[in-house]
Amino acid sequence: MGVHAGDALGAAVEFSPWATIRQRYPEGLTEIIGGGPFDWPPGHATDDTDLTRAVLLAHLHPGVDVVRSAADHMLAWMLGDWPGRTPGTPPRDMGGATGAGLRRYQQTGDPRGSGAGQGHAGNGSLMRALPTALAVTDPQRRAEESMRISAITHDDPRCTVACAAYNEIAAALLAGEPPDRAVDRGHLLARHLDGVDVAGAVAHGRRLRPRALALTGPAGLADDAAGYVLDSLTLAVAAVLDPRPLPDVLVDIVRIGNDTDTNAAIAGGLLGVRDGASAIPERWRSVLQFADEFAGAAECLGAAGERAQERTG
């Protein structure tokens, strides 16, 4: 739900630079209004939430090959078999690496090796990573599946390791760890996976403050928060360490500008795990396209997690 809320909030100003957002919304955009370059209805899922849903659907069916199932759901999304779309119509928005990877998967039928390869380090797999953290309790399996689902479209190590580290933070939060210790867990996993750049991005997030970036702009980020996976990871870490309520933090993440919907979706995922769905204002939740479906999925994952704990307890 946090991914969905951040995505929908940021969609209205996607691709807008910091200065433009500051001029239009001096105190930040505080309502989900839709619009933006793709003219979204208020609360409608963009590709961020849609592809998160694709991974979520894969995890809701125990016993399947989760990576292949996630790829199949993502391919269905690309081909127009998706709620809210006329059958067969393409998505309004789709990243280049995502499209290339899914077309490769469509041709080969093999989700391994379909990614865009080294040098393509966008945030298009990090934005959809969270369901694996909520569904998989075993740390090694969680890291492996996070990386393999990323690699369907984004197999640069900065992307795959970022997904694993992000999900380690989320899983620690879900287990009741405080944010600083959860971030430690993600940092350690990144280092273990030889993700030097990823570990550096996590460490950088400790030093940044969303409120300050909202006031001064994204100059402290390598790609000005314009879609680079490590910028988005850094912002998510900074967001989850910010003690303010979820809405205040997400408003400031959007104020930073550029890839506003994806940055807010990724940060919103960690904030949602930290604070719970009740932290999302009702006026936001009431317009989210998949709110009811995601609430039902949370109940299913929670019940599955309890059964897993009973078996291992």
Side-chain angles (χ1 to χ4, degrees):
M1 204 80 79
V3 169
H4 201 346
D7 178 28
L9 183 69
V13 290
E14 185 181 8
F15 306 138
S16 296
W18 168 79
T20 299
I21 297 173
R22 182 176 176 83
Q23 183 178 27
R24 289 175 60 191
Y25 304 101
E27 301 302 319
L29 176 61
T30 59
E31 304 298 332
I32 293 176
I33 60 174
F38 298 101
D39 195 25
W40 299 107
H44 200 284
T46 81
D47 57 331
D48 304 74
T49 300
D50 277 341
L51 292 175
T52 298
R53 178 178 181 265
V55 178
L56 175 63
L57 291 173
H59 281 295
L60 289 175
H61 297 91
V64 303
D65 179 338
V66 169
V67 178
R68 181 175 297 279
S69 179
D72 287 340
H73 286 298
M74 286 190 275
L75 184 60
W77 166 79
M78 185 182 78
L79 298 177
D81 181 13
W82 206 253
R85 298 241 304 275
T86 302
T89 58
R92 294 191 194 188
D93 184 21
M94 180 170 60
T98 296
L102 293 179
R103 284 188 289 271
R104 217 172 278 118
Y105 173 62
Q106 184 181 19
Q107 293 170 354
T108 67
D110 186 355
R112 297 167 297 180
S114 60
Q118 298 271 343
H120 295 272
N123 56 15
S125 64
L126 186 59
M127 71 189 190
R128 65 177 192 245
L130 184 65
T132 303
L134 308 181
V136 181
T137 57
D138 178 74
Q140 181 175 346
R141 181 183 150 212
R142 182 169 58 239
E144 290 173 353
E145 287 191 359
S146 297
M147 297 175 74
R148 289 174 62 206
I149 291 172
S150 171
I152 296 167
T153 56
H154 293 70
D155 55 356
D156 184 289
R158 289 168 290 180
C159 300
T160 58
V161 176
C163 289
Y166 175 89
N167 277 342
E168 189 67 14
I169 296 171
L173 293 168
L174 190 66
E177 296 278 1
D180 58 340
R181 290 178 60 183
V183 169
D184 284 344
R185 291 261 300 269
H187 187 258
L188 287 172
L189 180 62
R191 291 176 59 189
H192 174 71
L193 295 171
D194 294 326
V196 175
D197 292 337
V198 177
V202 174
H204 190 35
R206 288 188 175 278
R207 299 188 291 269
L208 296 182
R209 301 292 180 268
R211 178 65 174 170
L213 289 172
L215 293 174
T216 63
L221 297 165
D223 189 42
D224 291 338
Y228 180 38
V229 65
L230 297 187
D231 279 2
S232 295
L233 180 62
T234 291
L235 287 177
V237 169
V240 81
L241 293 173
D242 190 318
R244 294 178 298 157
L246 176 151
D248 295 345
V249 182
L250 280 186
V251 166
D252 279 347
I253 293 293
V254 171
R255 292 173 73 188
I256 295 166
N258 293 326
D259 197 7
T260 52
D261 61 331
T262 304
N263 291 329
I266 294 167
L270 293 186
L271 290 167
V273 180
R274 185 193 76 178
D275 296 347
S278 62
I280 301 169
E282 176 57 29
R283 69 182 191 279
W284 290 6
R285 278 187 289 163
S286 65
V287 299
L288 296 179
Q289 180 183 2
F290 293 117
D292 291 342
E293 180 180 333
F294 284 5
E299 292 182 6
C300 291
L301 291 177
E306 290 175 2
R307 289 193 295 272
Q309 288 180 343
E310 289 173 359
R311 288 195 296 270
T312 59

